[in-house]
Amino acid sequence: MSGYDADVAVVGLGAIGAMAAWRLAERGHSVTGYERFGIGHDRGASSGQTRRFSVQSQREPRMTPLALEALGLWRALERATGRHLLHSVGGVILGPSDTPALLAAHKSALSAGLDHEWLDSAELSTRYPQHRVCPADAGITDPHAGFLRPELSVVTATRQARTLGATLFDHTRVLAIEPDGDGVSVRTEHGTRRYGHVVLAPGARARDLVPLAGATVLPRRVVQAWYVPADIDQYRPEVCGVFERVGDVNAYGFPTVDGATVKIGVYTAGHPIVYDTENTPLTVGPALLRRLRDTVAEFFPGLHPDPVTTTVGLEGYTTDGHPLLGPAPDSSRIILACGFSGSGFKFAPVFGDIIADLVMEGRTERDVGFLAPSRSLAAWPPDALTPA
């Protein structure tokens, strides 16, 4: 387009930005991308060795069709690049049988006609000995579930975008985004460039560039931890699958991917808001370590309860638990994509394709109006931090 340095700029090349760059380039757009840190960095939500994939929804049934479409796009990226990104090993969600999240996952599976099994406590104990199963527990299996390799996925998507002609700048901080009528200017320390559209996918640091995010996207500190099992064979992917416990505690985990340790995340350990994203503590204090230990000791008795490795990252959580995805309220040339609230990674390819729709056509056929940045966001209590 005349007067533009490229059709589209993508600011932030984590999972969402990387996939947006790929889908835009795949569909014929000239794309420039900017990443403040290195591509595939460990300071945001796209790190930690594994990310859970599932098609069942514990809160919002409209997310299930998006997850199914994302599944196809993950496979498309794998075919295009020869990289194995999504490991479909199956999974289970379990907890007290009357837990709303468990019942919602069951309802979403029934509504979408997905293969699954509803298991009582005896069946759970037999099939999933890695877990402490209480008499009142039930569970639902998800044959489509599995795990994604986040760092590899981001690097793979950005490489594919470059293969298709995108120009990507890493270690380049965007200082300002300025709409100017029929375009948008992006200013960095190296100068200013102009684009037809700008996609803002800055992750937990959305407040730096998105005025709307100041009150609606909360940077939260997320801790992941790895544990040594007594019997590693009980946690091989072909035996264990991905898992999540809901209700009495909110915890998720993965089979071993290194043949030595198992990753467990505990939502009920707390995701404190971080007001200084420039100086986030990267160590885990003794009080939180005790909470992690107590949870693992109670619900995952096959693991040594003290973590052998921990990591700290930042994720952006909106106040209603749904992302901001769509045109900015004050400029249709700026597409916001932030606040994915701990559950955006599995959807990243379809969100990237939705962004391409919005850039190309100003609309999308997907049912995502409930994610529009112009909506009124309700309060979302911190103890409801449950994946979509």
Side-chain angles (χ1 to χ4, degrees):
M1 293 183 184
S2 176
Y4 300 146
D5 289 281
D7 296 341
V8 190
V10 179
V11 179
L13 295 172
I16 305 300
M19 296 298 170
W22 165 48
R23 297 310 299 157
L24 285 160
E26 176 77 26
R27 293 167 68 172
H29 280 282
S30 57
V31 178
T32 301
Y34 297 94
E35 170 53 53
R36 177 177 176 179
F37 304 108
I39 292 175
H41 67 81
D42 62 355
R43 302 188 185 192
S46 300
S47 62
Q49 194 182 71
T50 50
R51 279 289 179 275
R52 185 172 177 268
F53 181 87
S54 64
V55 294
Q56 299 167 358
S57 176
Q58 298 175 32
R59 289 192 294 113
E60 174 50 70
R62 287 173 288 187
M63 300 302 280
T64 293
L66 296 175
L68 289 168
E69 192 172 356
L71 174 59
L73 287 169
W74 280 113
R75 296 307 186 202
L77 182 58
E78 288 180 325
R79 289 192 299 271
T81 62
R83 297 278 193 160
H84 191 187
L85 308 174
L86 171 57
H87 300 254
S88 296
V89 296
V92 65
I93 304 170
L94 72 158
S97 60
D98 60 351
T99 301
L102 184 62
L103 297 174
H106 191 206
K107 182 178 179 180
S108 77
L110 291 171
S111 299
L114 302 172
D115 290 340
H116 69 281
E117 294 178 83
W118 180 266
L119 306 177
D120 62 23
S121 60
E123 293 169 316
L124 283 170
S125 294
T126 300
R127 196 176 304 186
Y128 298 101
Q130 303 90 351
H131 301 264
R132 171 180 173 255
V133 177
C134 304
D137 284 349
I140 180 173
T141 64
D142 181 357
H144 292 290
F147 62 89
L148 291 151
R149 303 306 298 265
E151 298 90 348
L152 178 61
S153 296
V154 169
V155 171
T156 298
T158 54
R159 283 183 175 175
Q160 185 62 8
R162 279 180 164 141
T163 297
L164 295 167
T167 300
L168 308 181
F169 297 99
D170 58 3
H171 299 284
T172 301
R173 182 171 182 173
V174 170
L175 303 175
I177 307 293
E178 300 165 349
D180 58 4
D182 63 346
V184 185
S185 295
V186 175
R187 180 164 56 87
T188 73
E189 61 184 347
H190 304 296
T192 299
R193 298 189 181 200
R194 192 166 179 269
Y195 303 94
H197 289 80
V198 170
V199 176
L200 284 179
R205 296 167 178 85
R207 295 178 172 198
D208 294 350
L209 293 171
V210 184
L212 176 68
T216 58
V217 179
L218 307 176
R220 289 186 177 271
R221 184 175 181 265
V222 178
V223 173
Q224 300 176 85
W226 284 257
Y227 301 83
V228 172
D231 180 2
I232 192 65
D233 289 336
Q234 288 292 312
Y235 291 89
R236 303 282 182 191
E238 61 272 18
V239 173
C240 181
V242 298
F243 50 88
E244 185 168 359
R245 185 169 184 95
V246 296
D248 43 17
V249 69
N250 288 328
Y252 62 92
F254 300 84
T256 183
V257 298
D258 62 5
T261 60
V262 171
K263 187 175 94 172
I264 302 285
V266 181
Y267 279 87
T268 40
H271 290 351
I273 298 172
V274 174
Y275 294 100
D276 181 3
T277 58
E278 297 297 316
N279 299 287
T280 304
L282 300 180
T283 56
V284 181
L288 178 53
L289 286 174
R290 284 193 294 270
R291 294 180 70 180
L292 296 175
R293 174 190 170 90
D294 291 347
T295 298
V296 170
E298 181 174 2
F299 292 102
F300 306 102
L303 302 178
H304 178 68
D306 291 306
V308 294
T309 302
T310 60
T311 64
V312 175
L314 292 179
E315 294 192 20
Y317 284 79
T318 60
T319 53
D320 70 354
H322 292 312
L324 305 181
L325 182 65
D330 56 351
S331 175
S332 62
R333 291 186 174 273
I334 297 177
I335 308 300
L336 302 185
C338 57
F340 289 91
S341 303
S343 60
F345 197 94
K346 60 179 171 284
F347 300 106
V350 71
F351 286 156
D353 207 58
I354 289 168
I355 289 166
D357 284 347
L358 295 171
V359 168
M360 294 179 70
E361 303 169 20
R363 58 187 297 275
T364 182
E365 295 294 330
R366 281 84 162 209
D367 180 16
V368 293
F370 67 104
L371 306 179
S374 58
R375 73 186 186 273
S376 176
L377 277 70
W380 187 38
D383 59 359
L385 295 181
T386 307

